Amino acid sequence: MLLGAIADDLTGATDLALMLARNGMKTVQYIGVPPEGTDFGDAEAVVVALKSRTIPADEAVALSLASARALLAGGTEQVIFKYCSTFDSTDAGNIGPVAEALLELLDAPIAIACSAFPAAGRSIYMGHLFVGQVLLSDSPMKDHPLTPMHDANLVRVLQRQAKGKVGLIPLSVIEQGADAVRAAVDAAQKSGHRLMIADAVRDQDLRVLGAALADARLITGGSGIAMGLPDNFRRQGRIGTTPLPSRMQAPKGRSVILAGSCSAATRGQVATAIAAGSPALRIVPLEVASGAQTAASIAEWVIANAGVRPPLIYSSDAPEAVKAVQEQLGRERAGTLVEHLLAEVSIMLRDAGFSRFIVAGGETSGAVVEALGTRALQIGPEIAPGVPWTRSIGAPDLALALKSGNFGAPDFFVTAWDMLDD
Ligand code: ADP
């Protein structure tokens, strides 16, 4: 293993794993801290998916350190700490504490923090994160239910979470190339900095950062920060150029689409799948709460409707409807009710011979994968930017497409399904 990564959520981990696989590394994803003595086989990169974005900081630190120890035991040379490209994190949040704990574990003096991902509209200039053309603090992230972002200045945001000094590597340095970046990092280290936000507005900036970080023990950021890292190993002749397949070799069995995300992108994808002829069943949280709609009745409907097109079950709804449900049931109860339901349905379908699952929603994917008993994933072909098909390693043998709510074009479900080979 050359690269070991720790991601603070499941679909973010898959996004990073795809980035590494697309850049030619044999990449495997683990769900949760790999148990002691895990044999990582011939994986060149391993991504550990935690669920640590919004848990208390001390718990996030403990899980991240345990993951890093497992990756170090597997021989990793560098550790990536991956968080969201929109830096989803409150002042009590975990990016600073986890990054500093990893610095200490790895005995590293300083690390870069760069969540930029220009292809997805996340760019950083003068330390300020832009989402598309607006500052993070003016983007929809200002209203995020768990991690509202009211300050676009990442140096300030990270400084409020960190004990050590946080600084900035501005674009003007990055434009001068990898040597200039290395010199700036050295100078920052000498002046007592521990974490450095790095500007990046184009893929080229991320590649320069990647080259500059060839010897860094710890690298932190979004999946974009990993773009330039595989090239370091390739230059040294240590990895090949394993291409990603374009088709998905899936285990035999039936397919189902489960959508538990209420994001605009997912709601559009649900509408497109229905228009394309997928039989669809809406999950109504209040009916689930009253017992009128049960996992057994939903699974039965899916089994009865499995045909040429995969059946779709979805709880996705418009913001006003979600708010009304949350007012009645409470935000958390509404969320866990739907997550548990979809998890239970997944188990029933797996036991009924379904082996291909397309899942929309970060938390939803976490709940479904945990219920299915999947511990590790092989990265397959790319369905959409940031979303690959994956195949479980070990039993049960499943094909899984796990999509963060906001990812993918309107025809995502159809595209994913069309990529499956028998
Ligand atoms: P995303 O990736 O879009 O954030 P997630 O799955 O992470 O999607 O989060 C969506 C949350 O909303 C989950 O906890 C899910 O159970 C909950 N949810 C889904 N549908 C509804 C609904 N109709 N009303 C209320 N909450 C819902």
Side-chain angles (χ1 to χ4, degrees):
M1 190 197 319
L2 300 167
L3 266 177
I6 301 154
D8 68 355
D9 85 338
L10 177 68
T11 46
T14 313
D15 178 9
L16 174 63
L18 174 63
M19 173 67 77
L20 295 168
R22 230 183 44 194
N23 282 278
M25 294 188 90
K26 284 186 207 142
T27 306
V28 166
Q29 178 173 334
Y30 278 76
I31 293 148
V33 180
E36 212 174 302
T38 297
D39 176 5
F40 295 102
D42 66 349
E44 293 163 340
V46 171
V47 180
V48 175
L50 297 179
K51 208 170 181 298
S52 56
R53 183 167 295 169
T54 55
I55 64 176
D58 55 343
E59 290 173 28
V61 165
L63 287 173
S64 304
L65 289 178
S67 306
R69 288 195 187 98
L71 294 167
L72 289 168
T76 191
E77 296 184 6
Q78 296 188 295
V79 172
I80 302 176
F81 168 37
K82 150 78 172 78
Y83 36 85
C84 190
S85 62
T86 43
F87 219 82
D88 306 12
S89 194
T90 66
D91 288 352
N94 300 341
I95 297 177
V98 169
E100 289 187 306
L102 289 172
L103 278 174
E104 206 165 302
L105 176 77
L106 296 166
D107 200 18
I110 191 164
I112 290 283
C114 179
S115 63
F117 197 176
R122 277 70 159 144
S123 50
I124 304 177
Y125 181 62
M126 294 299 178
H128 289 71
L129 178 59
F130 290 83
V131 176
Q133 297 181 354
V134 301
L135 284 168
L136 175 67
S137 45
D138 293 323
S139 78
M141 281 305 298
K142 70 181 187 320
D143 301 317
H144 191 279
L146 300 175
T147 53
M149 299 303 293
H150 298 303
D151 188 357
N153 182 325
L154 297 184
V155 177
R156 274 195 313 238
V157 174
L158 190 54
Q159 188 65 80
R160 287 196 290 269
Q161 296 182 357
K163 291 200 189 85
K165 223 157 96 177
V166 181
L168 172 69
I169 305 198
L171 193 62
S172 55
V173 170
I174 289 157
E175 281 171 347
Q176 292 169 45
D179 287 343
V181 172
R182 264 190 296 268
V185 173
D186 286 347
Q189 182 189 331
K190 289 197 182 92
S191 60
H193 289 85
R194 289 286 269 171
L195 294 168
M196 298 298 287
I197 298 292
D199 279 352
V201 300
R202 300 159 306 173
D203 283 358
Q204 174 58 16
D205 303 323
L206 293 170
R207 293 197 182 277
V208 167
L209 280 169
L213 297 171
D215 298 322
R217 288 281 280 160
L218 176 67
I219 296 145
T220 88
S223 60
I225 194 66
M227 192 180 293
L229 297 175
D231 272 349
N232 296 329
F233 300 112
R234 194 165 297 110
R235 254 181 249 118
Q236 299 163 6
R238 299 172 74 195
I239 61 168
T241 45
T242 316
L244 269 182
S246 58
R247 304 281 307 162
M248 177 65 190
Q249 295 290 325
K252 291 224 173 302
R254 289 179 284 183
S255 315
V256 64
I257 306 169
L258 313 166
S261 161
C262 298
S263 72
T266 299
R267 285 188 294 127
Q269 289 153 357
V270 166
T272 307
I274 293 172
S278 272
L281 178 72
R282 195 156 89 87
I283 294 169
V284 183
L286 292 178
E287 289 192 10
V288 178
S290 75
Q293 209 174 24
T294 64
S297 69
I298 294 167
E300 212 171 288
W301 178 89
V302 173
I303 293 164
N305 283 277
V308 183
R309 295 233 159 242
L312 160 68
I313 53 176
Y314 65 101
S315 64
S316 319
D317 215 338
E320 319 78 67
V322 171
K323 213 162 146 211
V325 167
Q326 288 177 336
E327 268 161 21
Q328 288 217 36
L329 299 177
R331 179 191 302 274
E332 213 180 299
R333 174 140 183 261
T336 46
L337 191 77
V338 176
E339 285 172 37
H340 287 163
L341 179 84
L342 289 173
E344 246 185 280
V345 171
S346 305
I347 295 173
M348 291 173 180
L349 293 178
R350 179 200 64 194
D351 294 347
F354 282 72
S355 63
R356 299 138 174 230
F357 292 78
I358 301 171
V359 190
E363 295 296 321
T364 307
S365 295
V368 166
V369 163
E370 193 185 327
L372 289 172
T374 301
R375 303 295 305 148
L377 301 169
Q378 201 86 45
I379 303 301
E382 179 169 6
I383 307 164
V387 196
W389 264 111
T390 67
R391 186 156 177 171
S392 55
I393 298 172
D397 187 8
L398 303 170
L400 298 158
L402 309 170
K403 184 190 85 77
S404 164
N406 263 322
F407 281 18
D411 60 355
F412 177 87
F413 295 140
V414 182
T415 308
W417 187 69
D418 279 345
M419 288 172 82
L420 293 175
D421 274 341
D422 280 330

